[in-house]
Coordinates of all heavy atoms in Angstrom, one line a residue:
M225 N -14.6 4.7 24.4 CA -14.7 6.0 23.6 C -14.6 5.7 22.1 O -13.8 5.0 21.7 CB -13.6 6.9 24.0 CG -13.7 8.3 23.3 SD -12.3 9.3 23.7 CE -12.4 9.6 25.4
A226 N -15.5 6.2 21.4 CA -15.5 6.0 19.9 C -14.9 7.3 19.2 O -15.4 8.4 19.5 CB -16.9 5.8 19.4
Y227 N -14.0 7.0 18.4 CA -13.4 8.1 17.7 C -14.0 8.3 16.3 O -14.5 7.3 15.8 CB -11.9 7.9 17.5 CG -11.1 7.9 18.8 CD1 -10.0 7.1 18.9 CD2 -11.5 8.6 19.9 CE1 -9.2 7.1 20.0 CE2 -10.8 8.6 21.0 CZ -9.6 7.8 21.1 OH -8.9 7.8 22.3
P228 N -14.1 9.4 15.7 CA -14.7 9.6 14.4 C -14.0 8.8 13.4 O -12.8 8.7 13.4 CB -14.6 11.1 14.1 CG -14.3 11.7 15.4 CD -13.6 10.7 16.3
Q229 N -14.7 8.2 12.4 CA -14.1 7.5 11.3 C -13.4 8.5 10.4 O -13.9 9.5 10.0 CB -15.2 6.7 10.6 CG -14.6 5.7 9.7 CD -15.7 4.8 9.0 OE1 -16.4 5.3 8.1 NE2 -15.8 3.6 9.5
K230 N -12.2 8.1 10.0 CA -11.4 8.9 9.1 C -11.2 8.3 7.7 O -11.6 7.1 7.5 CB -10.1 9.3 9.7 CG -10.3 10.1 11.0 CD -9.0 10.6 11.6 CE -9.3 11.5 12.8 NZ -8.0 11.9 13.5
I231 N -10.5 9.0 6.8 CA -10.2 8.4 5.5 C -9.2 7.2 5.6 O -8.6 7.1 6.6 CB -9.7 9.5 4.6 CG1 -8.3 10.0 5.1 CG2 -10.7 10.6 4.3 CD1 -7.6 10.9 4.1
T232 N -9.2 6.5 4.6 CA -8.2 5.4 4.5 C -6.8 5.9 4.1 O -6.7 7.0 3.5 CB -8.6 4.3 3.5 OG1 -8.6 4.8 2.2 CG2 -10.0 3.7 3.9
F233 N -5.8 5.1 4.3 CA -4.5 5.5 3.8 C -4.4 5.5 2.3 O -3.7 6.4 1.7 CB -3.4 4.5 4.3 CG -3.0 4.8 5.7 CD1 -3.6 4.0 6.8 CD2 -2.1 5.8 6.0 CE1 -3.2 4.3 8.1 CE2 -1.7 6.0 7.4 CZ -2.3 5.3 8.4
G234 N -5.2 4.7 1.6 CA -5.3 4.8 0.2 C -5.8 6.1 -0.3 O -5.3 6.7 -1.2
E235 N -6.9 6.5 0.3 CA -7.5 7.8 0.0 C -6.5 9.0 0.3 O -6.5 9.9 -0.5 CB -8.8 8.0 0.8 CG -9.9 7.1 0.3 CD -11.1 7.1 1.2 OE1 -11.0 7.4 2.4 OE2 -12.2 6.6 0.8
M236 N -5.8 8.8 1.4 CA -4.9 9.8 1.7 C -3.8 9.9 0.7 O -3.4 11.0 0.3 CB -4.3 9.5 3.1 CG -3.4 10.6 3.7 SD -2.6 10.1 5.2 CE -1.0 9.5 4.5
R237 N -3.3 8.8 0.3 CA -2.2 8.8 -0.7 C -2.7 9.4 -2.1 O -1.9 10.0 -2.8 CB -1.6 7.4 -0.9 CG -0.6 7.0 0.2 CD 0.1 5.7 -0.1 NE -0.7 4.6 0.4 CZ -0.5 4.0 1.6 NH1 0.4 4.5 2.4 NH2 -1.2 3.0 2.0
E238 N -3.9 9.1 -2.4 CA -4.5 9.6 -3.6 C -4.5 11.2 -3.6 O -4.5 11.8 -4.6 CB -5.9 9.1 -3.9 CG -5.9 7.7 -4.4 CD -7.3 7.1 -4.6 OE1 -8.3 7.9 -4.5 OE2 -7.5 5.9 -4.8
S239 N -4.7 11.7 -2.4 CA -4.7 13.1 -2.2 C -3.3 13.7 -2.2 O -3.2 14.9 -2.1 CB -5.4 13.4 -0.8 OG -6.7 12.9 -0.8
G240 N -2.3 12.9 -2.2 CA -0.9 13.4 -2.3 C -0.2 13.4 -1.0 O 1.0 13.8 -1.0
A241 N -0.8 13.0 0.1 CA 0.0 13.0 1.4 C 0.7 11.7 1.5 O 0.2 10.6 1.3 CB -1.0 13.2 2.5
R242 N 2.0 11.8 2.0 CA 2.8 10.6 2.1 C 3.1 10.3 3.6 O 3.6 9.2 3.9 CB 4.2 10.8 1.4 CG 4.0 11.2 0.0 CD 3.3 10.2 -0.9 NE 4.0 8.9 -0.9 CZ 3.5 7.8 -1.5 NH1 2.4 7.9 -2.2 NH2 4.1 6.7 -1.4
D243 N 2.9 11.2 4.4 CA 3.2 11.1 5.8 C 2.0 11.5 6.7 O 1.1 12.1 6.2 CB 4.4 12.0 6.2 CG 5.6 11.7 5.4 OD1 6.0 10.6 5.4 OD2 6.1 12.7 4.8
V244 N 2.0 11.0 7.9 CA 1.0 11.4 8.9 C 1.6 12.1 10.1 O 2.8 11.9 10.4 CB 0.2 10.2 9.4 CG1 -0.7 9.6 8.3 CG2 1.1 9.1 9.9
L245 N 0.8 12.9 10.7 CA 1.2 13.6 11.9 C 0.4 12.9 13.1 O -0.8 12.7 12.9 CB 0.9 15.1 11.9 CG 1.7 15.9 10.9 CD1 1.0 17.2 10.7 CD2 3.1 16.0 11.4
I246 N 1.1 12.5 14.1 CA 0.5 11.8 15.2 C 0.5 12.7 16.5 O 1.6 13.0 16.9 CB 1.2 10.4 15.4 CG1 1.1 9.6 14.1 CG2 0.5 9.7 16.6 CD1 2.1 8.4 14.1
Y247 N -0.6 13.1 16.9 CA -0.7 14.0 18.1 C -1.2 13.3 19.3 O -2.1 12.5 19.3 CB -1.7 15.1 17.8 CG -1.3 16.1 16.7 CD1 -1.6 15.8 15.4 CD2 -0.6 17.3 17.0 CE1 -1.2 16.7 14.4 CE2 -0.2 18.1 16.0 CZ -0.5 17.9 14.7 OH -0.1 18.7 13.8
C248 N -0.6 13.6 20.4 CA -1.1 13.2 21.7 C -2.5 13.8 21.9 O -2.7 15.0 21.6 CB -0.2 13.7 22.9 SG -0.8 13.2 24.5
R249 N -3.4 13.0 22.5 CA -4.8 13.5 22.7 C -4.9 14.4 24.0 O -5.9 15.1 24.2 CB -5.8 12.4 22.8 CG -6.1 11.8 21.5 CD -7.3 10.8 21.5 NE -7.5 10.3 20.2 CZ -8.4 10.8 19.4 NH1 -9.1 11.9 19.7 NH2 -8.6 10.3 18.2
D250 N -3.9 14.4 24.8 CA -3.9 15.3 25.9 C -3.3 16.6 25.5 O -2.1 16.8 25.3 CB -3.0 14.6 27.0 CG -3.1 15.4 28.4 OD1 -3.5 16.6 28.3 OD2 -2.9 14.8 29.4
Y251 N -4.2 17.6 25.5 CA -3.8 19.0 25.0 C -2.8 19.6 26.0 O -2.0 20.5 25.6 CB -5.0 19.9 24.9 CG -5.7 20.3 26.2 CD1 -5.3 21.4 26.9 CD2 -6.7 19.5 26.8 CE1 -5.9 21.8 28.1 CE2 -7.3 19.8 28.0 CZ -6.9 21.0 28.6 OH -7.4 21.3 29.8
R252 N -2.7 19.1 27.2 CA -1.7 19.7 28.1 C -0.3 19.2 27.8 O 0.7 19.8 28.2 CB -2.1 19.3 29.6 CG -3.4 20.0 30.1 CD -3.9 19.3 31.3 NE -4.2 17.9 31.1 CZ -4.7 17.1 32.0 NH1 -5.0 17.5 33.2 NH2 -5.0 15.8 31.6
C253 N -0.3 18.0 27.1 CA 1.0 17.4 26.8 C 1.5 18.0 25.5 O 2.6 18.6 25.4 CB 0.8 15.9 26.6 SG 2.2 15.1 25.9
G254 N 0.7 17.9 24.4 CA 1.0 18.6 23.2 C 2.1 17.8 22.4 O 2.6 18.3 21.3
H255 N 2.5 16.6 22.8 CA 3.5 15.9 22.1 C 3.0 15.5 20.7 O 1.9 15.0 20.6 CB 3.9 14.7 22.9 CG 5.1 13.9 22.3 ND1 6.3 14.4 22.0 CD2 5.1 12.6 21.9 CE1 7.1 13.5 21.5 NE2 6.4 12.4 21.4
H256 N 3.8 15.6 19.7 CA 3.4 15.0 18.4 C 4.7 14.6 17.6 O 5.8 14.9 17.9 CB 2.7 16.1 17.6 CG 3.5 17.2 17.1 ND1 3.7 18.3 17.9 CD2 4.2 17.5 16.0 CE1 4.5 19.2 17.3 NE2 4.8 18.7 16.1
T257 N 4.4 13.7 16.7 CA 5.5 13.1 15.9 C 5.0 12.9 14.5 O 3.8 12.9 14.2 CB 6.0 11.8 16.5 OG1 7.2 11.4 15.8 CG2 4.9 10.7 16.4
E258 N 5.9 12.7 13.5 CA 5.6 12.4 12.2 C 5.9 10.9 11.9 O 6.9 10.4 12.5 CB 6.4 13.3 11.2 CG 6.0 14.7 11.1 CD 6.8 15.5 10.1 OE1 7.2 14.8 9.1 OE2 7.0 16.7 10.3
A259 N 5.2 10.3 11.0 CA 5.5 9.0 10.6 C 5.3 8.8 9.1 O 4.4 9.4 8.5 CB 4.6 8.0 11.3
D260 N 6.1 8.0 8.5 CA 5.9 7.6 7.1 C 4.7 6.7 6.9 O 4.7 5.7 7.6 CB 7.2 6.9 6.6 CG 7.3 6.7 5.1 OD1 6.2 6.6 4.5 OD2 8.4 6.6 4.6
A261 N 3.8 7.1 6.1 CA 2.5 6.3 6.0 C 2.7 5.1 5.1 O 1.7 4.3 5.0 CB 1.4 7.2 5.5
D262 N 3.8 4.8 4.5 CA 4.0 3.7 3.5 C 3.8 2.4 4.2 O 3.5 1.4 3.5 CB 5.4 3.8 2.9 CG 5.5 4.9 1.9 OD1 4.5 5.5 1.6 OD2 6.6 5.2 1.4
G263 N 4.0 2.3 5.5 CA 3.9 1.0 6.2 C 2.4 0.5 6.4 O 2.2 -0.6 6.8
W264 N 1.4 1.4 6.1 CA 0.1 1.0 6.4 C -0.7 0.7 5.0 O -0.5 1.5 4.1 CB -0.7 2.1 7.1 CG -0.3 2.1 8.6 CD1 -0.6 1.2 9.5 CD2 0.5 3.1 9.2 NE1 -0.1 1.6 10.7 CE2 0.6 2.8 10.6 CE3 1.1 4.3 8.8 CZ2 1.3 3.6 11.5 CZ3 1.8 5.1 9.7 CH2 1.9 4.7 11.0
P265 N -1.4 -0.4 5.0 CA -2.1 -0.7 3.7 C -3.2 0.3 3.4 O -3.7 1.0 4.2 CB -2.8 -2.1 4.1 CG -2.2 -2.5 5.4 CD -1.7 -1.3 6.1
D266 N -3.6 0.3 2.1 CA -4.6 1.2 1.6 C -5.9 1.1 2.2 O -6.7 2.1 2.2 CB -4.7 1.0 0.0 CG -3.5 1.6 -0.7 OD1 -2.7 2.3 -0.1 OD2 -3.5 1.3 -2.0
D267 N -6.3 0.0 2.7 CA -7.7 -0.2 3.2 C -7.8 0.1 4.7 O -8.9 -0.1 5.3 CB -8.2 -1.6 2.9 CG -7.4 -2.7 3.5 OD1 -6.3 -2.4 4.0 OD2 -7.9 -3.8 3.5
V268 N -6.7 0.5 5.3 CA -6.7 0.8 6.7 C -7.1 2.3 6.9 O -6.6 3.2 6.2 CB -5.4 0.5 7.4 CG1 -5.3 1.1 8.8 CG2 -5.1 -1.0 7.4
R269 N -8.0 2.6 7.8 CA -8.4 4.0 8.1 C -7.4 4.6 9.1 O -7.0 3.9 10.0 CB -9.8 4.1 8.6 CG -10.8 3.7 7.5 CD -12.2 3.9 8.0 NE -13.2 3.5 7.0 CZ -13.5 4.2 6.0 NH1 -13.1 5.4 5.8 NH2 -14.4 3.7 5.0
L270 N -7.2 5.9 9.0 CA -6.3 6.6 10.0 C -6.9 6.4 11.4 O -6.1 6.2 12.3 CB -6.3 8.1 9.7 CG -5.2 8.5 8.7 CD1 -5.3 7.8 7.3 CD2 -5.2 10.0 8.5
S271 N -8.2 6.4 11.5 CA -8.8 6.2 12.8 C -8.6 4.8 13.3 O -8.7 4.6 14.5 CB -10.3 6.5 12.7 OG -10.9 5.9 11.6
D272 N -8.3 3.8 12.4 CA -8.2 2.4 12.9 C -6.9 2.3 13.7 O -6.8 1.3 14.5 CB -8.1 1.5 11.7 CG -9.4 1.3 11.0 OD1 -10.5 1.7 11.6 OD2 -9.4 0.9 9.8
I273 N -5.9 3.1 13.5 CA -4.6 2.9 14.1 C -4.4 3.8 15.4 O -3.5 3.6 16.1 CB -3.4 3.1 13.2 CG1 -3.4 4.6 12.7 CG2 -3.5 2.2 12.0 CD1 -2.1 4.9 12.0
E274 N -5.4 4.7 15.6 CA -5.2 5.7 16.6 C -5.0 5.1 18.0 O -4.2 5.5 18.8 CB -6.3 6.7 16.6 CG -6.2 7.6 15.4 CD -7.3 8.7 15.3 OE1 -8.4 8.4 15.8 OE2 -7.1 9.7 14.8
L275 N -5.8 4.1 18.3 CA -5.8 3.5 19.6 C -4.5 2.7 19.9 O -4.2 2.3 21.0 CB -7.0 2.5 19.8 CG -8.3 3.2 20.2 CD1 -9.5 2.3 20.1 CD2 -8.2 3.8 21.6
R276 N -3.7 2.4 18.8 CA -2.5 1.6 19.0 C -1.4 2.5 19.6 O -0.4 1.9 20.1 CB -2.0 1.0 17.7 CG -3.1 0.1 17.0 CD -2.5 -0.5 15.8 NE -3.5 -1.1 15.0 CZ -3.3 -1.6 13.8 NH1 -2.1 -1.6 13.3 NH2 -4.2 -2.2 13.1
F277 N -1.5 3.8 19.5 CA -0.4 4.6 19.9 C -0.5 5.0 21.4 O -1.6 5.3 21.9 CB -0.4 5.9 19.1 CG 0.0 5.7 17.7 CD1 -1.0 5.7 16.7 CD2 1.3 5.6 17.3 CE1 -0.6 5.4 15.4 CE2 1.7 5.4 16.0 CZ 0.7 5.3 15.0
I278 N 0.7 5.0 22.0 CA 0.8 5.4 23.4 C 1.8 6.6 23.4 O 2.9 6.4 22.9 CB 1.2 4.3 24.3 CG1 0.1 3.2 24.4 CG2 1.5 4.8 25.7 CD1 0.5 2.0 25.1
C279 N 1.4 7.7 24.0 CA 2.3 8.9 24.0 C 3.6 8.5 24.7 O 3.6 8.0 25.8 CB 1.7 10.1 24.6 SG 2.7 11.5 24.7
Q280 N 4.7 8.9 24.0 CA 6.0 8.6 24.6 C 6.4 9.6 25.7 O 7.3 9.3 26.5 CB 7.1 8.6 23.5 CG 6.9 7.4 22.6 CD 7.9 7.4 21.4 OE1 8.6 8.4 21.2 NE2 8.1 6.3 20.8
R281 N 5.7 10.6 25.8 CA 6.0 11.7 26.8 C 5.1 11.5 28.1 O 5.6 11.5 29.2 CB 5.8 13.1 26.2 CG 6.1 14.2 27.2 CD 6.0 15.5 26.6 NE 7.0 15.7 25.6 CZ 7.1 16.8 24.7 NH1 6.1 17.7 24.8 NH2 8.0 16.9 23.9
C282 N 3.8 11.3 27.9 CA 2.9 11.3 29.0 C 2.2 10.0 29.2 O 1.5 9.8 30.3 CB 1.9 12.4 28.9 SG 0.6 12.1 27.7
G283 N 2.3 9.0 28.3 CA 1.6 7.7 28.5 C 0.2 7.7 28.1 O -0.5 6.6 28.3
Q284 N -0.4 8.8 27.6 CA -1.8 8.8 27.1 C -2.0 7.8 26.0 O -1.2 7.8 25.0 CB -2.1 10.2 26.6 CG -3.5 10.3 26.0 CD -4.6 10.4 26.9 OE1 -4.4 10.7 28.1 NE2 -5.8 10.1 26.4
R285 N -3.0 7.0 26.1 CA -3.3 6.0 25.0 C -4.3 6.6 24.0 O -5.3 7.1 24.4 CB -3.8 4.7 25.6 CG -4.0 3.6 24.6 CD -4.4 2.3 25.2 NE -4.4 1.2 24.2 CZ -3.4 0.5 23.8 NH1 -2.3 0.7 24.4 NH2 -3.5 -0.4 22.9
G286 N -4.1 6.3 22.7 CA -5.0 6.8 21.7 C -4.6 8.1 21.2 O -4.7 9.2 21.8
A287 N -4.0 8.1 20.0 CA -3.5 9.4 19.4 C -4.5 10.0 18.4 O -5.6 9.4 18.2 CB -2.2 9.1 18.7
E288 N -4.2 11.1 17.9 CA -4.9 11.8 16.9 C -4.0 11.7 15.6 O -3.0 12.3 15.6 CB -5.2 13.2 17.3 CG -5.7 14.1 16.1 CD -7.2 14.0 15.8 OE1 -7.9 13.6 16.7 OE2 -7.6 14.2 14.7
V289 N -4.5 11.0 14.6 CA -3.7 10.8 13.4 C -4.3 11.6 12.3 O -5.5 11.5 12.0 CB -3.6 9.3 13.0 CG1 -2.8 9.2 11.7 CG2 -3.0 8.5 14.1
R290 N -3.5 12.5 11.6 CA -3.9 13.3 10.5 C -2.9 13.2 9.4 O -1.7 13.1 9.6 CB -4.0 14.8 11.0 CG -4.8 15.1 12.2 CD -4.7 16.5 12.6 NE -5.3 16.7 13.9 CZ -5.1 17.8 14.6 NH1 -4.4 18.8 14.2 NH2 -5.7 17.9 15.8
P291 N -3.5 13.3 8.1 CA -2.6 13.5 7.0 C -1.7 14.7 7.1 O -2.2 15.7 7.6 CB -3.5 13.6 5.8 CG -4.8 13.1 6.3 CD -4.9 13.4 7.7
K292 N -0.5 14.6 6.7 CA 0.4 15.8 7.0 C 0.0 17.0 6.2 O 0.3 18.1 6.6 CB 1.9 15.4 6.6 CG 2.9 16.4 7.1 CD 4.3 15.9 6.7 CE 5.3 17.0 7.1 NZ 6.6 16.7 6.6
F293 N -0.6 16.8 5.0 CA -0.9 18.0 4.2 C -2.1 18.8 4.8 O -2.4 19.9 4.4 CB -1.3 17.6 2.8 CG -2.5 16.8 2.6 CD1 -3.8 17.5 2.5 CD2 -2.5 15.4 2.6 CE1 -4.9 16.8 2.4 CE2 -3.7 14.7 2.5 CZ -4.9 15.4 2.4
E294 N -2.9 18.1 5.6 CA -4.2 18.6 6.0 C -4.0 19.9 6.9 O -3.3 19.8 7.9 CB -4.9 17.6 6.8 CG -6.3 18.0 7.1 CD -7.1 16.9 7.9 OE1 -6.6 16.4 8.9 OE2 -8.2 16.5 7.4
P295 N -4.6 21.0 6.5 CA -4.5 22.2 7.4 C -5.3 22.0 8.7 O -6.2 21.2 8.7 CB -5.0 23.3 6.5 CG -6.0 22.6 5.6 CD -5.4 21.2 5.3
A296 N -5.0 22.8 9.6 CA -5.7 22.7 10.9 C -7.2 23.1 10.6 O -7.5 24.0 9.9 CB -5.1 23.7 11.9
R297 N -8.0 22.2 11.2 CA -9.5 22.5 11.0 C -10.1 23.2 12.2 O -9.7 23.0 13.3 CB -10.2 21.1 10.8 CG -9.9 20.4 9.5 CD -10.4 19.0 9.6 NE -9.8 18.2 10.6 CZ -10.2 17.1 11.0 NH1 -11.2 16.5 10.4 NH2 -9.6 16.4 12.0
M298 N -11.0 24.1 11.9 CA -11.6 24.9 12.9 C -13.0 24.3 13.1 O -13.7 23.9 12.2 CB -11.7 26.3 12.6 CG -10.3 27.0 12.3 SD -9.3 27.0 13.8 CE -10.1 28.3 14.7
G299 N -13.5 24.4 14.3 CA -14.8 24.0 14.6 C -15.2 22.6 14.8 O -16.3 22.2 14.9
T300 N -14.2 21.7 14.8 CA -14.4 20.3 15.0 C -13.5 19.9 16.2 O -12.5 20.5 16.5 CB -14.2 19.4 13.8 OG1 -12.8 19.3 13.6 CG2 -14.8 20.0 12.6
T301 N -13.9 18.8 16.8 CA -13.1 18.2 17.9 C -12.2 17.1 17.4 O -11.5 16.5 18.1 CB -13.9 17.8 19.0 OG1 -14.9 16.8 18.5 CG2 -14.7 18.9 19.7
G302 N -12.3 16.8 16.1 CA -11.5 15.7 15.5 C -11.8 14.4 16.0 O -11.0 13.6 16.2
Ligands
ZN403 ZN1 1.3 13.0 25.7

């Protein structure tokens, strides 16, 4: 499965966001967590790290990573 390419951590920090929200891709689970984005280099894309996450609640692999400032978007599947 190919996930959409997202902005880099550098671009995210330029926009003023310091943290990311990490969501489980299983909508029935709904588990999410916050993480400090300082640990990721500027040239890494948010989409690059999504496959590394495994949900601690349901075991689903591949998270949805979003900048914390970003409002919920309508009309996309992310
Ligand atoms: Zn889950």
Side-chain angles (χ1 to χ4, degrees):
M225 182 187 296
Y227 296 148
Q229 194 176 73
K230 296 186 175 173
I231 63 170
T232 64
F233 280 98
E235 290 167 341
M236 190 189 90
R237 281 190 273 267
E238 284 177 11
S239 303
R242 308 298 303 177
D243 302 306
V244 289
L245 293 166
I246 303 166
Y247 290 88
C248 178
R249 283 190 180 267
D250 189 337
Y251 69 92
R252 293 166 299 184
C253 171
H255 183 62
H256 68 276
T257 188
E258 286 184 31
D260 187 334
D262 287 351
W264 287 289
D266 284 350
D267 62 346
V268 171
R269 292 184 184 277
L270 273 59
S271 46
D272 291 341
I273 66 168
E274 291 182 327
L275 277 171
R276 301 184 194 175
F277 290 100
I278 296 173
C279 179
Q280 293 177 343
R281 181 176 293 171
C282 74
Q284 171 81 19
R285 186 176 185 85
E288 165 82 25
V289 179
R290 302 175 194 167
K292 191 179 174 186
F293 69 86
E294 189 177 53
R297 289 170 298 169
M298 302 295 286
T300 72
T301 55

